[in-house]
Each structure stands twice: as C-alpha cells, then as structure tokens.
Amino acid sequence: MPAGSYSDYSLTLAKDFSGLVLSGAVIGTDADKSFYASPANGKFMGKTMLVVGLKKTF
C-alpha cells in the first residue's frame, strides 16, 4: 500500500424512542501514525473516536 493510503471504518447503532433517535458511532482509520502526524506537535491526527447524536423527528 502506498505511504499516504488508508481506509476509514465506522460502526453506527441507532435507536428510535418515539420520535427521539439516539445514535452512537465508533469511527477510525488504519492510517500510518508517522505519516499522519501533526507538524506542530507530532500527535497522530487519525484517532479512533466515539460520536453520539440525538435528533427529533416530526
């Protein structure tokens, strides 16, 4: 795989509670940590994250 290539992944779950939808997603990447480090502080910019959402449907 070329140096700048990577894949993203995510797993999302959602549940509807009578018009309120609660969701959660785990999002990450397999990017090379040394290639995608911040030039300012050297920290990896592709950390795995949890994203939580709430929406109201009408």
Side-chain angles (χ1 to χ4, degrees), residues 11-57:
L11 174 65
T12 304
L13 298 173
K15 176 71 177 162
D16 188 335
F17 296 97
S18 300
L20 280 176
V21 180
L22 178 64
S23 64
V26 176
I27 303 169
T29 183
D30 66 353
D32 180 8
K33 289 184 178 186
S34 62
F35 192 81
Y36 287 98
S38 169
N41 58 18
K43 289 185 179 181
F44 178 54
M45 298 183 296
K47 293 181 182 177
T48 300
M49 304 292 280
L50 173 64
V51 178
V52 177
L54 180 64
K55 71 177 180 177
K56 172 79 172 138
T57 56

